[in-house]
Amino acid sequence: MRDAIILLTIMLLVGCGGSSSKKPPQVVNSAPQLTLESTYTAQSGAILTIEHQVADPENDTVSLTWSNDINQVTITQSTLAITSVQLPTVTTETTLTLTLTARDDKNATTSQDVTVTIKPKSAQVTFDLLDAYSAKENSYFELTTQIEANHVISDISWQLDEPLNADVNVQNSLNGTLATSSLTLLTPDVTQTQSFNAIISVTANGQLSQKHTRITINPDTSDFLSISLPERYVVDEGKDASISVTINSSDSQSEIKWRWHNSEIALTGDDSKTVSFNAPQVESDQTLILEVSVTSANQTHIAEIPVTIKDVTVYSNISLAANRTLAVKGHIVFVDVITENPEQISSIDWTVNNLTEQDYSAKDHRLNITVPEVSNGFFIDLDAQATLTLTNGSQQNLTQSIRVLNPYTLDTELNIGHNIDRPLPVYNGETGNFTLRVSNAYDLIDSVAIDLPFTVTPFTTKNAELINNTIQLTLLSDNITTEAETTLQVTAFVGDYQVNDYFKLRLKPSHFTIYPGLTEQFYAGSQITLFNQIYHDDTLREETAQWQTHTSIGDIVQSDSGEFSYASSPSFHGEISLNASFNQNESPTQSDKLINMYRTLRIDKDDISCSVSGRSTVCVYDGRTIRFTLDTAQLRQIKLNDEVACLLTQNSAVECIGNSANPIVSDTPTLSGEIERLNMVGNNAACVQFKNAQWQCWGQNAANTTSLTNAFSHVYTITQHKQNTCLVADGFLHCFNQVGEQSFNDLTGFIKDIEIKNNGLCYQYTHQKTSSWQCPSELK
């Protein structure tokens, strides 16, 4: 028996090959396989959703990673089947390359690039333009489109296929955010029906938006007719419905007939382009066929549309509504279940993505959310999903989205007061009401407040409130005695954060404003005529101010004709502050003028320098001393340019020394009359102003300079810098080029002082109490 068992064992081993030395075949691991689109186009700041499929030949576990070549790209959601990408905000078209890498648990990888073209946000332009038009050959065709944008429209243009460009006329009417564009063209000759492209382009807020249409041209010998209906129409039982047919025909008259297939529902307007009917009650959803027959241009066309009448359940509609859809940390946010029949809901289960269950709670039909802080990316989206079980056992899934913003984006999102580009005027004793618009996301704001942190002027009323998505400001002060400029701070409280914006306020004692002239310099003992002008709400008036000094030095003198002058003291040198005042209808206003009186003075200008010391005046030009022939003891003013010095005496005598070849020296004219002021205009011209305020100029381009002064009621000073001749005229700065065309002006405020600084023309305003200088780039 033992031998039989041994023999059987040997036979089994031989049959199974138990002693074979062959090795099992080696298994080669294959990399995962990716399937996804390689190119996308998306808007600036949007969330792009990319669908992809991953397969591994060995069914290994696969992980996915993304990389990109641009900063500010955030992956907001990523699974094996879908990825959501937060795109950056761009102002020009930008190309983004995303790389998806799949790796199995044996470290085999596969990568694929995705190219995303990011388009800047459009200006949200809508066009009243059809997708297609028809016309006959060799005839004038005209279409007009109405355009509306969210921003001011700055340009409209058309792009046509070449055959349409033979005779084209475009008329555009721009009116802020609304516009009309009319296109008229002569259609080309065709031997058969042809279609051509027409594209209208609209620029608003620097962004381009386009709308495409097709113009079909038919031979003159052929009639044409085309009709179209919507693909389908759905209406609830018991509701009124209307359907329209679109007709393109060479004949302006069309015969129209609507009818049902296998239905007796009454039709209203069955012989017009739009037919109406009332959907009857149905026991279940019912789809009928509605037919329209159109006869025109010796042709008859028939079109059909399926009309579905929905059986409305006895259950009321259910929806979700959030008290706010934009939020930041600190906002109270809740989502309500909205229904006319709350009893139809037996239970509600809530979930919110990106939050834990500790961050939200539900009571009755309301979900309360604790808004998180966003520190990465521009925002996160919270989707509150309600799974509702109804009393009939059915379920509904509803979702309400709330976008939570990063607080650093609030300035851009709100953009408070973008409609304010000039100082806000506040008049003494008058309530000033102003509107600050909020460009976007205005419902983020909980409350607003204002402050005047840089003014000591007390205000009896200083309010800000939110009304109709705008910030309404109210300001009142009875303590504005002199014109001044200050800063208004507007604070918007947004959840746990606040946004501050700043605006300029122009405080005015009345609607009348006095311009007293520029800061001037005279020799001690001069009697100086005081020129001034009075404005009422920026309109020049024929009124006269009263003058007085702030000190007892010198005297204010009024002539028989009512003109004022200041008689300075010959023994005093330094600053003298004069005050001009005006009072009409118990509305007083005043303004100050500064005069620098000198007895000792030194002026240097490149090749020439002059010094005044008591009764002695000495100039040095090119290293040699030269003297005036006039009696400098009667000095009134001395002015220099780079190589010429001119002196004005108390008895209206003028003398210029320095470079004898300079036209200021060589062409000094005979000057007759009482001269008030001396003015150097650049390096080659000079002017004097007489007591009657008229100017006389000599030297280079003197006639053109004099003609510029005649364009204004009063010119206070003339300055030349590079190619510009600039006048302080009627209180404001006006600059002109070499051919007399205005190249620059500033109507922001009256000019107090003007100088050439750092190779540019700079000036100060009278309403600014600080010594800040305006140096516009246009005058450098």
Side-chain angles (χ1 to χ4, degrees):
M1 181 66 180
R2 177 176 176 274
D3 292 338
I5 293 173
I6 294 173
L7 178 62
L8 178 60
T9 301
I10 294 172
M11 291 178 65
L12 289 172
L13 288 173
V14 172
C16 295
S19 61
S20 172
S21 62
K22 289 184 180 181
K23 297 180 180 181
Q26 185 175 1
V27 177
V28 178
N29 181 49
S30 298
Q33 297 173 352
L34 288 172
T35 303
L36 71 160
E37 296 289 336
S38 60
T39 59
Y40 289 87
T41 299
Q43 290 291 324
S44 168
I47 294 181
L48 174 66
T49 299
I50 302 174
E51 296 182 354
H52 39 71
Q53 295 180 356
V54 184
D56 188 85
E58 293 80 28
N59 292 324
D60 292 338
T61 301
V62 178
S63 62
L64 300 180
T65 58
W66 287 89
S67 60
N68 68 87
D69 62 347
I70 293 181
N71 293 330
Q72 298 179 336
V73 176
T74 303
I75 304 297
T76 61
Q77 179 185 7
S78 182
T79 67
L80 290 177
I82 191 171
T83 296
S84 297
V85 183
Q86 170 66 61
L87 300 178
T89 300
V90 298
T91 57
T92 59
E93 185 173 304
T94 304
T95 300
L96 164 67
T97 300
L98 298 167
T99 302
L100 176 59
T101 301
R103 184 186 303 274
D104 66 15
D105 55 10
K106 297 183 180 65
N107 214 31
T109 63
T110 299
S111 297
Q112 183 169 330
D113 288 342
V114 176
T115 300
V116 183
T117 301
I118 307 175
K119 300 282 189 179
K121 288 184 178 179
S122 71
Q124 297 185 6
V125 178
T126 57
F127 302 84
D128 179 17
L129 188 69
L130 298 178
D131 293 332
Y133 293 87
S134 296
K136 283 189 177 182
E137 66 175 348
N138 195 27
S139 62
Y140 280 99
F141 167 77
E142 180 178 357
L143 65 84
T144 299
T145 179
Q146 306 291 327
I147 305 162
E148 183 175 357
N150 285 354
H151 299 279
V152 173
I153 298 172
S154 58
D155 185 60
I156 301 174
S157 62
W158 286 86
Q159 178 183 346
L160 307 173
D161 283 351
E162 184 59 33
L164 301 180
N165 279 318
D167 184 357
V168 176
N169 180 45
V170 175
Q171 296 290 331
N172 294 326
S173 175
L174 308 182
N175 183 20
T177 59
L178 301 176
T180 301
S181 183
S182 296
L183 169 70
T184 304
L185 57 86
L186 180 63
T187 59
D189 293 330
V190 295
T191 58
Q192 59 184 4
T193 299
Q194 288 184 257
S195 294
F196 301 97
N197 295 303
I199 300 174
I200 185 172
S201 301
V202 173
T203 302
N205 195 33
Q207 303 296 324
L208 184 68
S209 299
Q210 294 182 321
K211 171 72 173 178
H212 173 265
T213 188
R214 303 251 323 156
I215 301 175
T216 299
I217 311 301
N218 297 276
D220 188 40
T221 57
S222 65
D223 293 327
F224 62 90
L225 171 64
S226 63
I227 66 174
S228 62
L229 289 172
E231 291 185 5
R232 66 185 59 85
Y233 189 86
V234 179
V235 60
D236 290 339
E237 60 181 353
K239 299 293 185 180
D240 291 329
S242 62
I243 302 173
S244 298
V245 61
T246 300
I247 303 172
N248 284 321
S249 174
S250 57
D251 189 350
S252 60
Q253 301 296 323
S254 299
E255 182 181 338
I256 305 170
K257 190 62 180 177
W258 296 84
R259 72 178 187 90
W260 291 103
H261 291 194
N262 302 322
S263 176
E264 300 299 328
I265 299 175
L267 296 173
T268 301
D270 61 352
D271 58 353
S272 61
K273 286 186 178 181
T274 300
V275 67
S276 303
F277 61 92
N278 180 265
Q281 300 293 323
V282 293
E283 294 183 359
S284 60
D285 292 355
Q286 183 177 354
T287 299
L288 306 173
I289 301 299
L290 181 62
E291 174 188 287
V292 63
S293 171
V294 179
T295 300
S296 181
N298 299 317
Q299 303 176 54
T300 298
H301 287 187
I302 296 175
E304 296 177 349
I305 178 175
V307 177
T308 299
I309 301 174
K310 300 289 290 183
D311 177 22
V312 180
T313 178
V314 295
Y315 284 86
S316 302
N317 289 333
I318 305 175
S319 62
L320 299 182
N323 67 318
R324 58 171 70 244
T325 57
L326 279 177
V328 295
K329 184 177 182 294
H331 273 147
I332 297 174
V333 176
F334 54 83
V335 181
D336 286 330
V337 177
I338 307 300
T339 178
E340 295 179 356
N341 182 18
E343 290 75 16
Q344 67 185 316
I345 302 173
S346 61
S347 65
I348 307 174
D349 292 326
W350 294 93
T351 58
V352 184
N353 70 317
N354 292 320
L355 295 182
T356 64
E357 291 185 358
Q358 290 74 26
D359 295 326
Y360 58 89
S361 61
K363 183 178 181 181
D364 298 328
H365 287 176
R366 171 170 291 184
L367 175 73
N368 295 287
I369 297 175
T370 302
V371 180
E373 182 175 14
V374 178
S375 56
N376 295 319
F378 295 109
F379 59 85
I380 61 171
D381 284 329
L382 305 180
D383 290 330
Q385 186 176 66
T387 301
L388 299 99
T389 301
L390 306 185
T391 54
N392 63 359
S394 64
Q395 285 191 334
Q396 291 188 23
N397 291 311
L398 302 175
T399 301
Q400 173 65 56
S401 295
I402 298 100
R403 176 159 291 183
V404 182
L405 300 178
N406 187 311
Y408 294 109
T409 67
L410 291 177
D411 282 332
T412 302
E413 288 289 337
L414 297 176
N415 195 11
I416 296 173
H418 59 275
N419 59 310
I420 306 299
D421 56 1
R422 300 188 66 181
L424 302 174
V426 179
Y427 297 95
N428 185 60
E430 294 185 16
T431 301
N433 296 301
F434 309 101
T435 299
L436 302 182
R437 295 195 178 95
V438 181
S439 66
N440 198 4
Y442 42 76
D443 52 356
L444 280 168
I445 302 176
D446 300 315
S447 62
V448 290
I450 58 174
D451 192 17
L452 296 164
F454 306 114
T455 182
V456 295
T457 303
F459 278 74
T460 56
T461 302
K462 191 171 55 176
N463 293 330
E465 58 182 330
L466 290 168
I467 299 177
N468 295 330
N469 304 326
T470 63
I471 299 176
Q472 301 291 330
L473 308 181
T474 305
L475 294 167
L476 173 63
S477 175
D478 295 316
N479 297 276
I480 303 173
T481 56
T482 59
E483 183 173 355
E485 190 167 272
T486 188
T487 300
L488 171 70
Q489 176 182 302
V490 177
T491 302
F493 297 95
V494 184
D496 286 351
Y497 312 101
Q498 63 184 47
V499 177
N500 294 319
D501 279 278
Y502 300 89
F503 305 92
K504 290 183 178 179
L505 280 187
R506 187 71 60 81
L507 307 182
K508 296 188 176 186
S510 78
H511 288 270
F512 288 94
T513 306
I514 303 172
Y515 178 58
L518 290 85
T519 299
E520 298 185 283
Q521 192 172 48
F522 288 89
Y523 189 73
S526 301
Q527 182 163 327
I528 306 148
T529 300
L530 300 174
F531 297 119
N532 68 86
Q533 291 177 290
I534 296 179
Y535 285 81
H536 182 271
D537 288 345
D538 300 327
T539 300
L540 192 60
R541 298 282 289 265
E542 294 293 334
E543 306 285 353
T544 303
Q546 299 293 316
W547 286 88
Q548 55 272 336
T549 63
H550 287 298
T551 68
S552 59
I553 300 172
D555 298 307
I556 296 293
V557 180
Q558 185 174 14
S559 67
D560 294 338
S561 60
E563 296 175 345
F564 287 88
S565 61
Y566 171 66
S568 66
S569 170
S571 60
F572 175 82
H573 62 92
E575 291 184 349
I576 293 293
S577 179
L578 304 180
N579 177 264
S581 62
F582 179 77
N583 189 350
Q584 180 169 327
N585 299 327
E586 298 183 354
S587 180
T589 185
Q590 57 184 336
S591 186
D592 292 334
K593 175 182 176 66
L594 190 67
I595 300 180
N596 292 310
M597 310 306 301
Y598 66 89
R599 291 180 57 82
T600 301
L601 178 69
R602 180 177 179 83
I603 313 175
D604 295 295
K605 289 282 188 177
D606 288 353
D607 296 334
I608 194 167
S609 65
C610 296
S611 63
V612 178
S613 180
R615 294 177 175 272
S616 174
T617 301
V618 177
C619 295
V620 177
Y621 172 65
D622 273 350
R624 55 189 178 84
T625 301
I626 54 176
R627 297 182 181 275
F628 293 98
T629 63
L630 294 174
D631 182 4
T632 59
Q634 298 296 318
L635 177 62
R636 181 179 180 82
Q637 280 187 315
I638 185 169
K639 297 293 180 73
L640 277 66
N641 65 18
D642 291 347
E643 54 185 23
V644 172
C646 291
L647 179 143
L648 169 64
T649 68
Q650 298 287 0
N651 58 3
S652 296
V654 174
E655 182 181 6
C656 297
I657 61 176
N659 184 357
S660 58
N662 190 292
I664 297 177
V665 178
S666 61
D667 299 336
T668 303
T670 300
L671 303 170
S672 59
E674 291 186 82
I675 299 175
E676 181 61 34
R677 289 164 177 80
L678 178 63
N679 199 117
M680 304 294 279
V681 184
N683 289 328
N684 297 291
C687 299
V688 294
Q689 186 180 35
F690 298 100
K691 284 190 179 296
N692 64 1
Q694 299 299 310
W695 288 87
Q696 183 178 350
C697 302
W698 69 93
Q700 191 179 72
N701 208 23
N704 182 59
T705 302
T706 303
S707 68
L708 293 177
T709 66
N710 296 331
F712 300 94
S713 298
H714 191 97
V715 173
Y716 292 84
T717 191
I718 309 167
T719 303
Q720 187 175 50
H721 179 61
K722 296 183 179 179
Q723 306 302 319
N724 291 295
T725 300
C726 296
L727 286 67
V728 176
D730 296 338
F732 302 104
L733 180 64
H734 305 268
C735 294
F736 301 87
N737 59 23
Q738 291 176 308
V739 295
E741 298 170 337
Q742 184 163 278
S743 56
F744 177 84
N745 72 331
D746 186 342
L747 304 179
T748 302
F750 293 139
I751 305 301
K752 177 172 64 177
D753 208 351
I754 184 167
E755 289 185 19
I756 295 175
K757 293 177 174 287
N758 300 323
N759 204 33
L761 193 62
C762 302
Y763 49 91
Q764 292 178 311
Y765 299 124
T766 59
H767 63 265
Q768 289 182 328
K769 303 310 178 185
T770 62
S771 58
S772 59
W773 289 83
Q774 312 297 317
C775 301
S777 58
E778 297 93 330
L779 301 180
K780 291 184 178 180

